[in-house]
Amino acid sequence: MGSTFGNTLRVSIFGQSHSPATGCVIEGLPSGVTVDMARLQHFMDRRAPGRTPWSTPRKEADEPRIVSGLNAAGQTCGTPLCAIIENANTRSGDYATISRIPRPGHADFAAWAKWGQAHDIAGGGHFSARLTAPLCVAGGIALQLLEERGVHVAAHVLQVGDVRDDRFAARDMDAAAQQRLAGQMRRLHQLPTDAFPVLDEDAGQEMMSLIDRIRRDQDSVGGAVECVATGLPAGVGGPRYDGVQGAIARIVFGIPAVKGLEFGAGFEVAGLRGSQNNDCLELRDGQVLPSSNFAGGTLGGISTGAPVLFAMAVKPTPSIARPQQSVDLTSMEPATLEVRGRHDPCVAARAVPIAEAAMALALLDSWLSYPPTDWRA
Amino acid sequence: MGSTFGNTLRVSIFGQSHSPATGCVIEGLPSGVTVDMARLQHFMDRRAPGRTPWSTPRKEADEPRIVSGLNAAGQTCGTPLCAIIENANTRSGDYATISRIPRPGHADFAAWAKWGQAHDIAGGGHFSARLTAPLCVAGGIALQLLEERGVHVAAHVLQVGDVRDDRFAARDMDAAAQQRLAGQMRRLHQLPTDAFPVLDEDAGQEMMSLIDRIRRDQDSVGGAVECVATGLPAGVGGPRYDGVQGAIARIVFGIPAVKGLEFGAGFEVAGLRGSQNNDCLELRDGQVLPSSNFAGGTLGGISTGAPVLFAMAVKPTPSIARPQQSVDLTSMEPATLEVRGRHDPCVAARAVPIAEAAMALALLDSWLSYPPTDWRA
Amino acid sequence: MGSTFGNTLRVSIFGQSHSPATGCVIEGLPSGVTVDMARLQHFMDRRAPGRTPWSTPRKEADEPRIVSGLNAAGQTCGTPLCAIIENANTRSGDYATISRIPRPGHADFAAWAKWGQAHDIAGGGHFSARLTAPLCVAGGIALQLLEERGVHVAAHVLQVGDVRDDRFAARDMDAAAQQRLAGQMRRLHQLPTDAFPVLDEDAGQEMMSLIDRIRRDQDSVGGAVECVATGLPAGVGGPRYDGVQGAIARIVFGIPAVKGLEFGAGFEVAGLRGSQNNDCLELRDGQVLPSSNFAGGTLGGISTGAPVLFAMAVKPTPSIARPQQSVDLTSMEPATLEVRGRHDPCVAARAVPIAEAAMALALLDSWLSYPPTDWRA
Amino acid sequence: MGSTFGNTLRVSIFGQSHSPATGCVIEGLPSGVTVDMARLQHFMDRRAPGRTPWSTPRKEADEPRIVSGLNAAGQTCGTPLCAIIENANTRSGDYATISRIPRPGHADFAAWAKWGQAHDIAGGGHFSARLTAPLCVAGGIALQLLEERGVHVAAHVLQVGDVRDDRFAARDMDAAAQQRLAGQMRRLHQLPTDAFPVLDEDAGQEMMSLIDRIRRDQDSVGGAVECVATGLPAGVGGPRYDGVQGAIARIVFGIPAVKGLEFGAGFEVAGLRGSQNNDCLELRDGQVLPSSNFAGGTLGGISTGAPVLFAMAVKPTPSIARPQQSVDLTSMEPATLEVRGRHDPCVAARAVPIAEAAMALALLDSWLSYPPTDWRA
């Protein structure tokens, strides 16, 4: 279904930007795992709006209330976990015009064509970035479970406009590269929740000042996020259409702003030769391991034991104060629109924990649904 | 499940490179539609191997036998349609070594980690490009149904190595651009099945000679394919995780060679401003229509009425004759591998009908599963 | 997944008997339908505990709070609808012993074998009858949508112990029988929420006094419920495994107390001849209609146009105050258990709206997922 | 989808009575299991028509050809297994009239209402009993896997008309009852493929002579089948809607002839008291075990460790030679129909292996999808 993903671990997202609440239901969580609410809240705070100069001033506590799925001791009890996030700070007034005049770059018109006037357009309704909050609740819990199994996830802003950050050291597999990657991940994990998440601080400074210029310019700018996961054993994932790539893609392309996704060398492979792109195999401590990781940790949908690596492109926030041409769906006349409301000039930074959530949910479900099987065990 | 995709229109792919046969089962086809077998075979021939200098010499008839789902008159009868393609020309001998020594860049090792020694590794087993034949059977039928509803699909080789083709005229929406796009699609549809499918013939010549050089060099090269669909009305597709983007992504990332996918402006959005990337809305013949198409025809997972546009990157064929480092999984010793067998030096050209199949299946299922709804109709 | 059912209309149930709340998420609801909250509450009240001598004294308001899926005007907006029911009156103290000693006839031991000590056993956790409250929220909304399309549903207590009620006049299809059925349904719809829902009042009186005797006897008793739906056109439902029978069965067997389900003549068919059981076909006002309805309105999973009819058997409430043999899962010693807590001596009456909810959800999903198709329409 | 069931183990059935072939695709089979083709064929032969006086004279070899999913050594390789059964002996001529005049008791009219004239009505199309052949291929393979894990399945004809067989000794759990059950199962497993499968030979003789009388009477008769599985550990199955009961129900109600299904004491529970119906718990060899099995081996959808027991009612074969009233769908005039073709006077005997197949597929999928979980293992 449209707002649900996953097989064994199944996540449903519900809510609209201005409905009483948003939330998620997670089915298939293993039982007996204690959910660390403080760490979950810390993860939520990285995405929460209203805390930084580069995010929307709309302030939301984003404190999930878990109403089912835990026992009295705070452990998962095996049954569906539902988390609710109340929508405190809604200002539908801002959206009076929009309910008649769809905003360019938003799903407003497409949703109207689909659901008619009943579509709850305020704030983008179900397509609002607010809906990434419940996704992060589910992802934050998945991250805690994966860490119990030695899988670690990190992400950073790869690009904003024409400014680029360093890349994760995830293409080479030698000891030096692995150490460098571990350091990069550690650094990101130690950042305060209101830091701009990059590997190269200077690039981060440039990105922030670019974003600031663009905000003053009443405009917005796009970006890209890179995400990596280490510690996933080889043999995880379904074949072909439900493999690790597909599981990640399904969640990532469900984030309305995302227009591109690549794994490992990504689009660069179009220019490469087989002799360059093939990851040879070697033995390390008796383990078979790829010697390089152009594949981004997955072949044929199945994990190879190398880090899982993806990058996603997020478009510039469509809501800008500049006048734009649209159509009044009531009078069916052309109309000029100036979007008020409160919006991020660039969503890349807030998309970083969202990318981690997508990675964690896709990998955990792949592991639970398609483990390396031993029937006779 | 791993080898199945779709909701209302559900496609299951089965078979291995060297199993007696491959095939597909299609559930949810509307009833009463006559399948034009000649046109289906023509579509299959565009993907079939052994016909062109740039494809593997392994020759397969690729003639699907439909054993269920049609009535005596050759119409879909509403029940599951199963098509079988016998595997005529298999030479498992080529793969004796490979069953012990996984090929770099292939799923061999990942599948061994997943399924153990029982994995049918010959020719890549279930991960072989052969499995795109049954995908094309399903896609070829979907294309016929979509055309009945005025939806047309075309694709071309966008890039091989460093050589690039023109792009579809699908970003602008003015009459001139729409005419130009129609002409590009018509031209591609009229190409003979053994032609190299590009928009710019000179680029095609360059690509073919590059591929030829690389083959003689015992190497392979990657590429990219661009695919477009016109005529899809606005309001089709599920919200968020099961939208048009997600439906296409799930199929496309199930093609083992694909490492990147983008919609509309794709990764370019990272460098754009909202004022550039937003598609304004206008009225044409009383219809609301985007004035441009940076979004690639979909917002929030739902179609906008503009052409649906995606590009996908395909990696260089992993099978190359050059010696490569691997591991003997029997002795657990390092081993050097020279892949014999018969392989494409570049899969981009044969990936063109596959991209069209993916587009058609994703759009038809989205339309059947998530139509623009009118409950009271 | 275990706590989710449906295809196009997808319902997820969450919550435990003693968790902060229970609730449901409904995906795939058509947009633009106004939910009548007063009628929904009236439907909930028929199931709610603490109102009648034959139900548990545990009093719960059972007032659903809809937190998403409606627009400001109270219409469905096409996105997932989530309803929350707070668990007001929980007395976990009653269940201290039970967390160690599973109750005979309950899922306690099976769930412990599945999820271990983390299973939230209090009140039966996710297996409590409380979880039929959110099912009724979803069902109550489905009933409102079906009525807009002329489909009406009713149910009654068919049996308690050895006391039997009349049957619905749904096996014959002549005008007289149809009138009689309409009268039976009207009568049931007009009953106050605290009435004992039967067709024959005398039988109802007998049932109530039997239940009263059995309660004083510190025991419980089983029963059966019969449910009918009229107005469903022919041609609705998926073939075979996902037909109308299967859709109903999946929900009904998800009600922990249910141990039997039959359609139309049900188990009686084992003793019938084809010449008796076959429903002939006739013309009425130009419509093809079965002349009788031994089939219970469905053949091969597809609706025939006759009333859909099923009966389900509900076991006696397992919680009884009498001493029963069990095992202490902590000491792994035999133990004697006397279940305190508050329980229904017979669940048949409260199962009546639950059966209606199951029927409504199965029929609405079948209609949305597998309508009588006209591809060219 | 309509013709697919299962979660981790997913089975799709395809084919029509008179299409070139029928078959199935099984996804999610564990790898490395050798399929014993001789035993599979022996299982198929128990269902195959044309071998006994009580089955249709239509003779079909019913020899499945496995075209994918096995490696060269005949082991499952983890990828989708497709089996094809060619339709040798089709006589569509018999069905000329029927394509215009639907047969009472068949899905003919319902399918016409659903799919229109394109429905492949010959022999009942997709709703023919022929389609239980591919179900038995999947079930026969599942049975072999379950036996590797110590789960054994058996079924017998419980009733034909008014003649009843003994019941399985599966309600009591004492040593004597368990021995008696083991003996009953052994006896059934040793029967030749053409024997009438009952526990009490005298009852079997009565049933056969009743069937013979009814055939000469140009009529048919209904029946019931009882099926049991032993050796399934406690803790298997999803909660609520996707539990063991639901998994069995979904397959069983997909067999067109089935109109009723019950587990354990079934409809008898309506007349029982909690003190009678509750299965107490005891310790045996340190294992917690129910002291009786009124529940039929499942509570809340989860297995209890006791034998899984169900009974299903199959209606009399609708195809009878007697004249019956119907409607000519071409002229829309009343019409009298005498069904020629070749049909079973009673399907109960051939339904026995089908019940075993349904049980095996439901239990294996439940085990693979919802095992007793130990996250930290």
Side-chain angles (χ1 to χ4, degrees):
Chain A
M1 293 299 299
S3 303
T4 301
F5 58 84
N7 294 313
T8 299
L9 185 77
R10 206 161 169 83
V11 178
S12 290
I13 304 292
F14 57 83
Q16 296 108 254
S17 177
H18 291 212
S19 61
T22 69
C24 63
V25 174
I26 316 170
E27 284 194 77
L29 278 172
S31 62
V33 179
T34 304
V35 175
D36 182 331
M37 293 303 291
R39 290 189 54 209
L40 179 58
Q41 191 59 57
H42 178 273
F43 182 72
M44 297 299 296
D45 293 344
R46 289 173 53 199
R47 191 218 68 92
R51 280 152 185 60
T52 57
W54 56 84
S55 82
T56 163
R58 171 176 175 175
K59 201 154 173 43
E60 291 281 358
D62 280 358
E63 283 165 6
R65 174 188 174 221
I66 297 180
V67 300
S68 73
L70 300 182
N71 62 20
Q75 300 169 305
T76 56
C77 60
T79 65
L81 184 151
C82 177
I84 307 285
I85 302 174
E86 299 290 329
N87 268 336
N89 185 346
T90 61
R91 276 168 40 192
S92 294
D94 293 339
Y95 298 91
T97 345
I98 295 162
S99 62
R100 298 188 349 259
I101 308 172
R103 295 162 299 176
H106 275 285
D108 297 350
F109 166 66
W112 175 85
K114 179 172 197 51
W115 290 315
Q117 292 294 358
H119 170 52
D120 182 17
I121 203 169
H126 191 55
F127 301 95
S128 162
R130 290 277 318 132
L131 271 292
T132 56
L135 180 69
C136 284
V137 174
I141 293 171
L143 282 165
Q144 292 186 21
L145 270 71
L146 285 174
E147 283 175 11
E148 286 202 353
R149 288 194 165 184
V151 175
H152 300 279
V153 176
H156 67 101
V157 176
L158 181 64
Q159 182 183 349
V160 171
D162 54 359
V163 189
R164 291 167 178 286
D165 190 19
D166 295 339
R167 282 198 156 268
F168 279 125
R171 182 174 290 186
D172 301 319
M173 293 288 289
D174 55 277
Q178 292 189 316
Q179 268 184 33
R180 183 144 173 267
L181 175 59
Q184 291 172 320
M185 296 174 75
R186 201 176 315 107
R187 185 181 172 290
L188 291 168
H189 288 149
Q190 289 163 354
L191 288 176
T193 58
D194 61 356
F196 195 86
V198 285
L199 298 174
D200 170 358
E201 284 191 38
D202 301 342
Q205 288 303 333
E206 268 189 78
M207 291 175 180
M208 283 188 278
S209 49
L210 172 61
I211 292 171
D212 192 52
R213 276 203 309 283
I214 281 164
R215 183 205 295 100
R216 280 194 259 89
D217 205 13
Q218 296 200 315
D219 210 337
S220 62
V221 65
V225 171
E226 187 182 41
C227 186
V228 71
T230 57
L232 187 71
V236 168
R240 306 198 67 93
Y241 308 106
D242 207 21
V244 169
Q245 289 190 167
I248 291 170
R250 186 163 189 179
I251 307 175
V252 164
F253 279 118
I255 306 165
V258 173
K259 300 310 281 186
L261 174 65
E262 56 182 13
F263 293 89
F267 276 87
E268 195 185 328
V269 296
L272 295 175
R273 292 182 165 215
S275 53
Q276 300 168 298
N277 185 64
N278 283 353
D279 300 312
C280 288
L281 292 162
E282 62 184 63
L283 284 161
R284 207 174 296 174
D285 326 321
Q287 289 276 337
V288 180
L289 209 69
S291 310
S292 58
N293 187 29
F294 282 68
T298 158
L299 286 168
I302 307 172
S303 62
T304 64
V308 177
L309 181 73
F310 74 78
M312 67 186 201
V314 293
K315 70 184 184 187
T317 318
S319 295
I320 55 176
R322 296 183 174 193
Q324 298 177 95
Q325 279 309 304
S326 185
V327 172
D328 186 320
L329 296 173
T330 318
S331 65
M332 275 300 173
E333 298 290 339
T336 304
L337 185 73
E338 289 170 40
V339 182
R340 278 185 203 66
R342 300 153 296 172
H343 308 287
D344 301 71
C346 179
V347 296
R350 292 178 61 201
V352 164
I354 297 167
E356 293 170 13
M359 173 77 90
L361 289 164
L363 295 191
L364 183 56
D365 181 40
S366 297
W367 206 342
L368 293 170
S369 302
Y370 305 101
T373 49
D374 184 353
W375 168 246
R376 286 181 178 71
Chain B
M1 294 295 300
S3 303
T4 300
F5 58 84
N7 294 314
T8 299
L9 185 78
R10 205 161 169 85
V11 178
S12 289
I13 304 291
F14 57 83
Q16 298 107 254
S17 177
H18 291 213
S19 61
T22 69
C24 63
V25 175
I26 316 171
E27 283 194 77
L29 277 173
S31 61
V33 180
T34 304
V35 175
D36 181 331
M37 293 304 290
R39 289 189 54 207
L40 179 58
Q41 191 58 58
H42 177 273
F43 183 72
M44 297 298 296
D45 293 342
R46 290 172 53 199
R47 192 217 68 91
R51 279 152 185 59
T52 56
W54 57 83
S55 82
T56 162
R58 171 176 175 175
K59 201 152 174 44
E60 290 281 358
D62 280 358
E63 284 165 7
R65 174 188 173 221
I66 297 180
V67 300
S68 74
L70 300 183
N71 62 20
Q75 300 170 305
T76 56
C77 62
T79 65
L81 185 151
C82 177
I84 307 285
I85 302 174
E86 299 290 328
N87 268 336
N89 185 347
T90 62
R91 276 167 42 191
S92 294
D94 292 339
Y95 298 91
T97 344
I98 296 163
S99 63
R100 296 186 350 261
I101 307 173
R103 296 162 299 175
H106 275 285
D108 297 351
F109 166 67
W112 175 85
K114 179 171 197 53
W115 291 315
Q117 293 294 359
H119 169 52
D120 182 17
I121 202 168
H126 191 55
F127 301 96
S128 161
R130 290 279 316 135
L131 272 292
T132 55
L135 180 69
C136 284
V137 175
I141 293 171
L143 282 165
Q144 293 186 20
L145 270 70
L146 285 173
E147 283 175 12
E148 285 201 355
R149 288 194 166 184
V151 175
H152 300 279
V153 176
H156 67 102
V157 176
L158 181 64
Q159 181 183 351
V160 171
D162 53 0
V163 189
R164 292 169 177 285
D165 190 18
D166 294 340
R167 280 198 156 268
F168 279 125
R171 181 173 291 186
D172 300 319
M173 292 289 288
D174 55 277
Q178 291 190 317
Q179 268 185 33
R180 182 142 176 267
L181 175 59
Q184 291 173 319
M185 295 175 75
R186 201 175 315 107
R187 183 180 175 291
L188 290 168
H189 289 150
Q190 289 164 355
L191 287 177
T193 58
D194 62 355
F196 196 86
V198 284
L199 298 174
D200 170 358
E201 283 190 39
D202 301 343
Q205 288 303 332
E206 268 189 78
M207 291 175 180
M208 282 187 279
S209 49
L210 171 61
I211 292 170
D212 192 52
R213 277 203 308 284
I214 281 163
R215 184 206 292 99
R216 279 193 261 88
D217 205 11
Q218 296 200 312
D219 211 337
S220 63
V221 65
V225 172
E226 186 182 41
C227 186
V228 71
T230 57
L232 187 70
V236 168
R240 307 196 66 94
Y241 308 107
D242 208 18
V244 169
Q245 288 191 167
I248 291 170
R250 185 163 190 180
I251 306 174
V252 163
F253 280 118
I255 306 165
V258 173
K259 300 310 281 187
L261 174 65
E262 56 182 14
F263 294 89
F267 276 88
E268 196 184 328
V269 297
L272 294 176
R273 292 183 165 214
S275 53
Q276 300 169 297
N277 184 66
N278 282 353
D279 300 312
C280 289
L281 291 162
E282 62 183 63
L283 284 161
R284 206 174 297 174
D285 326 322
Q287 289 276 336
V288 181
L289 209 70
S291 311
S292 58
N293 187 29
F294 282 68
T298 157
L299 287 169
I302 307 172
S303 62
T304 64
V308 177
L309 181 73
F310 74 78
M312 67 186 201
V314 293
K315 70 184 182 186
T317 319
S319 295
I320 55 177
R322 297 182 171 195
Q324 300 178 94
Q325 279 310 304
S326 185
V327 171
D328 186 319
L329 297 173
T330 318
S331 65
M332 275 299 174
E333 297 292 338
T336 304
L337 186 73
E338 289 170 38
V339 183
R340 277 185 204 68
R342 301 153 296 171
H343 308 287
D344 301 71
C346 179
V347 296
R350 292 179 60 203
V352 164
I354 297 166
E356 293 170 12
M359 173 76 91
L361 289 164
L363 295 191
L364 183 56
D365 181 41
S366 296
W367 206 342
L368 293 170
S369 302
Y370 305 100
T373 49
D374 183 354
W375 167 247
R376 285 181 179 70
Chain C
M1 294 298 302
S3 302
T4 301
F5 57 83
N7 294 312
T8 299
L9 185 78
R10 206 161 169 84
V11 178
S12 289
I13 304 292
F14 56 84
Q16 297 108 252
S17 178
H18 291 213
S19 61
T22 69
C24 63
V25 175
I26 316 170
E27 284 193 76
L29 277 172
S31 62
V33 180
T34 304
V35 175
D36 181 330
M37 293 304 291
R39 290 190 53 209
L40 179 58
Q41 191 58 58
H42 178 272
F43 183 72
M44 297 299 296
D45 293 343
R46 290 173 53 199
R47 191 217 68 92
R51 279 152 186 59
T52 57
W54 56 84
S55 82
T56 162
R58 170 177 176 174
K59 200 150 173 49
E60 290 282 358
D62 279 359
E63 284 165 6
R65 174 188 174 220
I66 297 180
V67 300
S68 73
L70 300 182
N71 62 20
Q75 299 169 305
T76 56
C77 60
T79 65
L81 185 151
C82 178
I84 307 285
I85 302 174
E86 299 290 328
N87 267 337
N89 186 344
T90 63
R91 275 168 41 190
S92 293
D94 292 340
Y95 298 92
T97 343
I98 296 163
S99 63
R100 297 186 350 259
I101 308 173
R103 296 162 299 176
H106 276 285
D108 297 351
F109 166 67
W112 175 85
K114 179 170 198 52
W115 291 314
Q117 292 294 1
H119 170 52
D120 181 18
I121 203 168
H126 191 56
F127 302 96
S128 162
R130 291 275 321 130
L131 272 291
T132 55
L135 181 69
C136 285
V137 175
I141 293 171
L143 282 164
Q144 292 187 21
L145 269 71
L146 285 174
E147 284 177 10
E148 284 202 355
R149 289 194 165 184
V151 175
H152 300 278
V153 176
H156 67 102
V157 176
L158 181 64
Q159 182 183 348
V160 170
D162 54 359
V163 189
R164 294 171 176 284
D165 190 19
D166 295 340
R167 281 199 157 267
F168 279 125
R171 180 173 292 185
D172 301 319
M173 293 288 289
D174 55 276
Q178 292 189 315
Q179 268 184 33
R180 183 144 174 267
L181 175 59
Q184 291 173 319
M185 295 174 75
R186 200 176 317 108
R187 183 180 175 292
L188 290 168
H189 289 150
Q190 290 163 354
L191 288 176
T193 59
D194 62 355
F196 196 86
V198 285
L199 298 174
D200 170 357
E201 281 190 40
D202 301 341
Q205 288 302 332
E206 269 189 78
M207 291 175 180
M208 283 187 279
S209 50
L210 172 61
I211 292 170
D212 192 53
R213 277 202 310 283
I214 281 164
R215 183 206 294 100
R216 280 195 259 85
D217 206 10
Q218 296 201 314
D219 211 338
S220 63
V221 64
V225 171
E226 186 182 40
C227 186
V228 71
T230 56
L232 187 70
V236 169
R240 307 196 68 92
Y241 308 106
D242 208 19
V244 169
Q245 289 191 166
I248 291 170
R250 185 163 190 181
I251 306 176
V252 163
F253 279 118
I255 306 165
V258 174
K259 300 311 281 186
L261 173 66
E262 57 182 11
F263 293 89
F267 276 88
E268 195 183 330
V269 297
L272 295 175
R273 292 184 165 214
S275 53
Q276 301 168 295
N277 185 65
N278 283 352
D279 301 311
C280 289
L281 291 162
E282 62 184 62
L283 283 160
R284 206 172 298 173
D285 326 321
Q287 289 276 338
V288 180
L289 209 70
S291 311
S292 59
N293 187 29
F294 282 68
T298 156
L299 287 168
I302 307 174
S303 62
T304 64
V308 177
L309 181 73
F310 74 78
M312 66 187 202
V314 292
K315 70 184 183 187
T317 318
S319 295
I320 57 177
R322 297 182 172 194
Q324 300 177 94
Q325 278 310 302
S326 185
V327 172
D328 186 320
L329 297 173
T330 317
S331 64
M332 275 298 174
E333 297 291 339
T336 303
L337 186 72
E338 289 170 39
V339 183
R340 277 185 203 67
R342 301 152 295 171
H343 308 286
D344 301 70
C346 178
V347 295
R350 292 179 60 203
V352 164
I354 297 167
E356 294 171 10
M359 174 77 90
L361 289 164
L363 296 190
L364 183 56
D365 181 40
S366 296
W367 206 342
L368 293 170
S369 301
Y370 305 100
T373 48
D374 185 353
W375 168 247
R376 284 181 180 70
Chain D
M1 294 298 300
S3 303
T4 301
F5 58 84
N7 294 312
T8 299
L9 185 78
R10 204 159 171 85
V11 177
S12 289
I13 304 291
F14 56 84
Q16 297 108 253
S17 178
H18 291 213
S19 60
T22 69
C24 64
V25 174
I26 316 170
E27 284 193 77
L29 278 172
S31 62
V33 179
T34 304
V35 175
D36 182 331
M37 292 304 290
R39 291 190 53 208
L40 179 59
Q41 191 58 58
H42 178 273
F43 182 72
M44 296 299 295
D45 292 344
R46 290 173 54 199
R47 191 217 69 90
R51 279 151 185 60
T52 58
W54 56 83
S55 81
T56 162
R58 171 176 175 175
K59 201 153 173 46
E60 291 281 357
D62 279 359
E63 283 165 6
R65 174 189 174 219
I66 297 181
V67 300
S68 73
L70 301 182
N71 61 21
Q75 300 170 304
T76 55
C77 61
T79 65
L81 185 151
C82 177
I84 308 283
I85 301 174
E86 299 290 329
N87 268 336
N89 185 345
T90 62
R91 275 169 40 192
S92 294
D94 293 339
Y95 297 91
T97 345
I98 295 163
S99 62
R100 296 186 352 258
I101 308 172
R103 297 163 299 176
H106 275 285
D108 297 350
F109 166 66
W112 175 85
K114 179 171 196 54
W115 291 314
Q117 293 293 1
H119 170 53
D120 182 17
I121 203 168
H126 191 55
F127 302 95
S128 163
R130 290 278 317 133
L131 271 292
T132 55
L135 181 68
C136 284
V137 175
I141 292 171
L143 282 164
Q144 292 186 22
L145 269 72
L146 285 173
E147 282 177 11
E148 284 202 354
R149 289 193 164 185
V151 175
H152 300 278
V153 175
H156 67 102
V157 177
L158 181 64
Q159 182 182 349
V160 171
D162 54 359
V163 189
R164 294 170 175 283
D165 190 19
D166 295 340
R167 281 199 157 268
F168 279 124
R171 181 172 291 185
D172 300 320
M173 293 288 291
D174 55 276
Q178 291 189 317
Q179 268 185 32
R180 180 139 179 270
L181 175 59
Q184 292 173 319
M185 295 174 75
R186 200 176 316 106
R187 183 180 175 290
L188 291 167
H189 288 150
Q190 289 164 354
L191 288 176
T193 59
D194 62 354
F196 195 86
V198 285
L199 298 174
D200 170 357
E201 283 190 38
D202 302 342
Q205 288 302 331
E206 268 189 79
M207 291 175 181
M208 283 188 279
S209 49
L210 171 61
I211 292 170
D212 192 52
R213 276 203 309 284
I214 280 163
R215 183 206 294 99
R216 280 195 259 88
D217 207 11
Q218 297 200 312
D219 211 337
S220 62
V221 65
V225 172
E226 186 182 41
C227 187
V228 71
T230 58
L232 187 70
V236 168
R240 307 197 66 94
Y241 307 107
D242 207 20
V244 169
Q245 288 191 166
I248 290 170
R250 186 163 189 179
I251 306 175
V252 163
F253 279 118
I255 305 165
V258 174
K259 300 310 281 188
L261 174 66
E262 57 182 13
F263 294 89
F267 276 88
E268 195 184 328
V269 296
L272 294 175
R273 291 183 166 215
S275 53
Q276 302 169 297
N277 184 66
N278 283 352
D279 300 312
C280 289
L281 291 161
E282 63 184 62
L283 283 160
R284 207 173 296 173
D285 327 321
Q287 289 276 336
V288 181
L289 209 70
S291 311
S292 58
N293 187 29
F294 282 67
T298 158
L299 286 169
I302 307 172
S303 62
T304 64
V308 177
L309 182 73
F310 74 78
M312 67 186 201
V314 293
K315 70 183 184 188
T317 318
S319 295
I320 56 177
R322 296 183 173 194
Q324 299 176 96
Q325 279 310 304
S326 185
V327 172
D328 186 320
L329 296 174
T330 317
S331 65
M332 276 299 174
E333 297 291 338
T336 304
L337 185 72
E338 290 171 39
V339 183
R340 278 185 202 67
R342 303 152 295 170
H343 308 286
D344 301 72
C346 179
V347 296
R350 292 179 60 202
V352 164
I354 298 167
E356 294 171 13
M359 173 77 91
L361 289 164
L363 295 191
L364 182 57
D365 181 40
S366 296
W367 206 342
L368 293 169
S369 302
Y370 304 101
T373 49
D374 185 353
W375 168 247
R376 284 182 181 71

